[in-house]
Amino acid sequence: MEKIIEIEHLNKSYGDIHAVNDLSFCVKKGEFFSFLGVNGAGKSTTISMICGQLEKDSGKITICGMDCETHIEEISRKIGVVFQNSALDAPLSVKDNLKSRAALYGICGKDFENRLAELAELLDFSNLLSRPFGKLSGGQKRRIDIARALIHNPEILILDEPTTGLDPQTRKNLWDVIGQLRKEKQMTVFLTTHYMEETADADYIVILDSGKIVAEGTPLQLKNTYAGDYITLYGADEKDIAKLGYPYEKIRDAVCISVPDTKAATGLIVTHPELFSDYEIIKGKMDDVFLAVTGKKLGGGGDR
């Protein structure tokens, strides 16, 4: 697949703090790429440099085959960004906000009306067009933020903590829309998030800690490398489980056994079939991966 974002030896410091430290990675066209890290890991700093909002100290950023230093105006037309904090004007109506943003890309008159109608249907905000942006709920504002990012049909959608603070249903609805866009437009999605479940469908994940990459790969590769499997076993005697030699935890009417991988789980089942009449095997989660590679848990909040 064609590389649409290439980062080579990128560096950015704030005084003595090396926020981005010799960072190199690439994102392929049409890919769902996830960028993970605790607060201050350097995620938002990297995004700001990709978008041309922040000057890098050194390194190279190439978007759609163009160098960010010399082609930032052309690149900006290929990128849509949903920031952690909304960039829209609270007193203006939803329509006026989107109209002013569209004008920056030369989208006016009938072209704007047609694009607005498309986005209003896609994101379900036709009934909000005349309302002041500042009066909307958090979920409604997020929909309009995404509409603003999509107004010019970008090739790349960058989502910086897009669902922080939203209720589960609103989060699901937004991801349904983003999934539809990826399918229909082959849009590349670059995500930073604090919600590990949002990375489950990612094509590729980079985990950042103190401005450096500490792990990268597909979700399956990362889970197989850094997280074990769990066998939940029902109706078994705890004394028999203790003899198996693996860490376990009693949970309600079951016992959860931690094993290093699926091969170890299969070995237990084959060796002790009498114990495994009612069980399920679950792969480790991205939370386990993140904790294993950084020694930290991922929580809410902003980022440097």
Side-chain angles (χ1 to χ4, degrees):
M1 265 193 301
E2 174 191 345
K3 294 176 182 178
I4 198 166
I5 299 175
E6 292 182 82
I7 306 295
E8 301 172 79
H9 304 293
L10 190 63
N11 288 279
K12 181 65 182 179
S13 295
Y14 299 96
D16 295 332
I17 300 170
H18 213 150
V20 174
N21 193 345
D22 196 29
L23 196 62
S24 295
F25 64 87
C26 71
V27 181
K28 296 178 180 178
K29 187 175 177 62
E31 193 169 57
F32 175 14
F33 180 94
S34 190
F35 208 39
L36 301 180
V38 296
N39 298 343
K43 306 187 304 295
S44 291
T45 298
T46 302
I47 286 175
S48 294
M49 287 188 283
I50 289 173
C51 297
Q53 294 186 321
L54 186 64
E55 190 175 341
K56 59 183 169 54
D57 293 342
S58 62
K60 188 174 182 181
I61 302 170
T62 307
I63 312 289
C64 300
M66 296 179 285
D67 191 317
C68 268
E69 269 192 316
T70 54
H71 295 84
I72 192 60
E73 190 172 330
E74 296 103 307
I75 288 170
S76 67
R77 294 180 175 276
K78 295 181 179 292
I79 296 176
V81 189
V82 179
F83 298 102
Q84 289 183 34
N85 299 312
S86 179
L88 295 177
D89 298 314
L92 291 181
S93 70
V94 167
K95 183 174 182 178
D96 286 344
N97 261 299
L98 296 178
K99 189 174 184 178
S100 65
R101 277 1 183 236
L104 296 175
Y105 298 97
I107 304 169
C108 306
K110 193 168 184 180
D111 288 341
F112 167 69
E113 295 294 340
N114 291 339
R115 185 62 181 146
L116 180 65
E118 288 175 11
L119 292 171
E121 182 178 356
L122 179 69
L123 291 157
D124 190 24
F125 63 82
S126 298
N127 61 327
L128 304 176
L129 290 173
S130 61
R131 292 182 57 184
F133 179 76
K135 299 291 185 182
L136 302 183
S137 69
Q140 290 169 335
K141 286 179 178 177
R142 233 8 170 190
R143 278 185 274 160
I144 310 307
D145 282 328
I146 292 175
R148 186 229 359 114
L150 295 173
I151 198 78
H152 58 299
N153 273 311
E155 292 183 35
I156 304 166
L157 180 62
I158 297 178
L159 304 167
D160 192 10
E161 308 285 356
T163 60
T164 299
L166 300 186
D167 64 89
Q169 185 59 47
T170 302
R171 282 168 55 199
K172 181 186 180 303
N173 291 344
L174 289 180
W175 277 112
D176 286 346
V177 169
I178 291 164
Q180 183 181 337
L181 287 167
R182 287 193 63 228
K183 183 177 179 181
E184 293 177 357
K185 309 247 186 199
Q186 286 73 56
M187 182 179 286
T188 304
V189 174
F190 185 117
L191 169 74
T192 77
T193 182
H194 285 304
Y195 297 108
M196 290 289 94
E197 68 270 22
E198 293 184 343
T199 69
D201 296 325
D203 295 303
Y204 202 80
I205 296 171
V206 163
I207 299 177
L208 209 60
D209 191 25
S210 300
K212 293 182 178 181
I213 294 174
V214 289
E216 60 181 304
T218 67
L220 182 60
Q221 287 170 340
L222 291 172
K223 288 175 185 178
N224 283 342
T225 304
Y226 297 104
D229 290 6
Y230 298 96
I231 309 172
T232 303
L233 212 155
Y234 301 94
D237 191 312
E238 190 175 345
K239 292 179 182 177
D240 293 330
I241 301 301
K243 293 175 184 176
L244 296 176
Y246 287 97
Y248 70 89
E249 181 184 359
K250 188 83 173 69
I251 47 170
R252 294 191 181 180
D253 58 344
V255 177
C256 184
I257 308 169
S258 297
V259 292
D261 50 39
T262 306
K263 184 178 179 181
T266 303
L268 279 181
I269 296 163
V270 171
T271 310
H272 303 278
E274 72 283 356
L275 297 179
F276 292 86
S277 57
D278 188 7
Y279 68 93
E280 58 183 338
I281 301 176
I282 300 171
K283 277 211 166 288
K285 298 178 181 179
M286 283 305 301
D287 297 85
D288 302 320
V289 172
F290 193 86
L291 185 60
V293 298
T294 67
K296 303 164 187 173
K297 289 187 177 180
L298 210 57
D303 185 24
R304 177 163 50 245

